[in-house]
Every structure is written in C-alpha cells, then in structure tokens.
Amino acid sequence: MKKDSHHQSLKYHEEIPPEHDDQLISFLHRIIRFAVKILALLMVLVIIWGIGDVVHVLYIRLNEPPFLLLNINDLLETFGAFLAVLIAIEIFINIRLYLGTNIIPVKLVVATALMAISRKVIILDLDKLSADYLVGIAAVVLGLGISYWVITKE
C-alpha cells in the first residue's frame, strides 16, 4: 500500500453519512446531525457568555482598589477565563468540522485537549494539590504533547 493511499484512508471517513440504504438508519442519522447542529448553536452561546464573563471579571477587578491594577491572582483568573473561551471556540470548530467535512480532525482534537490541560496548569494552586495530582497532570501533558508531535511529524 502506498503511503498516500494509507494517509488518505486515515484522513477521510463517513461518521454520519447523509444517506443510507436502510431508511431507519438514514432517519436516525438525520436526527443525530440535527442534534450536533443544536450543540453548535449552544456552543456559540457559551462562547458569547464566556466573552461576557471575561469582560465582567476584568471590569470588577479593575474597579476594585487599587484601581486599574491587577494582582497575580487576578491575572491568572483572567487568563483562565480567556483560555476557557478559546477552548470553547476550538470545540465549536470541531463540531463544525464534524458537520461540514469528512476529515477526522485528530490534530485539532489533540490541540484542543492540549489547550485545556494548559489552562489547568496555568491556574493551578500548587499549595492545595497533592503530588499524585501533579504527576497525573504531568502524565497527561506529556501524553498529549507526544501525541501532537507524532501527528504533526509528517
């Protein structure tokens, strides 16, 4: 098997095809596609809500004494809110790709997971965590990092 044809078989799939020989399966696929569209709509609402949360957090923090200054905890909370919105956007893109193409967005899914775990690492309170928890987080970061490297190493 040539490398291109192997790569092609990994790249394309039909998770929920629009038509199917069995009418019941075809009907069920249409229901699932509609459900995914509802999820996309809800994700857009979550993104808008998240942006509102970032604005609100910044407004509250900047209006507390000392005015127009943020301490390190405020910055970490703001970074966490920003990253949560970016993760929601990545999830929306995953949903859109799921609906609009036959491409498996593995690289995007792993990148989204890396962003999510990075957000967790950024907002960690090291004084309140056990060593086991930190080892677990480190293992997840290492596993996702290696996965992303392998996926992008063509």
Side-chain angles (χ1 to χ4, degrees):
M1 180 183 282
K2 293 199 294 191
K3 184 178 180 182
D4 287 341
S5 63
H6 177 68
H7 185 303
Q8 189 86 356
S9 67
L10 289 177
K11 188 174 180 183
Y12 295 100
H13 77 298
E14 270 194 314
E15 192 68 35
I16 302 178
E19 304 93 19
H20 193 274
D21 294 338
D22 186 330
Q23 288 183 354
L24 175 62
I25 298 297
S26 181
F27 173 71
L28 295 175
H29 282 182
R30 284 194 304 274
I31 290 172
I32 296 298
R33 289 185 67 79
F34 180 73
V36 173
K37 288 177 183 179
I38 290 172
L39 287 175
L41 175 64
L42 292 173
M43 187 53 67
V44 169
L45 294 175
V46 166
I47 291 166
I48 292 168
W49 194 328
I51 292 169
D53 184 54
V54 170
V55 170
H56 178 74
V57 166
L58 280 173
Y59 176 79
I60 296 296
R61 297 293 185 250
L62 291 173
N63 282 317
E64 292 175 347
F67 295 104
L68 300 177
L69 292 176
L70 298 172
N71 65 34
I72 190 68
N73 290 331
D74 295 337
L75 283 173
L76 289 176
E77 186 177 338
T78 304
F79 290 161
F82 268 95
L83 286 171
V85 171
L86 291 174
I87 292 165
I89 290 168
E90 295 295 326
I91 292 170
F92 172 80
I93 292 168
N94 280 321
I95 293 169
R96 188 189 58 76
L97 282 173
Y98 185 78
L99 283 171
T101 67
N102 288 332
I103 298 172
I104 301 172
V106 175
K107 183 177 173 184
L108 182 60
V109 171
V110 173
T112 303
L114 266 170
M115 187 181 292
I117 196 69
S118 298
R119 176 189 180 276
K120 186 71 174 170
V121 169
I122 288 169
I123 63 171
L124 281 177
D125 186 354
L126 296 176
D127 296 334
K128 298 179 181 176
L129 299 175
S130 70
D132 291 344
Y133 188 85
L134 291 176
V135 168
I137 293 274
V140 170
V141 170
L142 182 62
L144 286 170
I146 291 170
S147 297
Y148 191 79
W149 177 72
V150 167
I151 290 168
T152 58
K153 182 194 159 190
E154 286 186 20

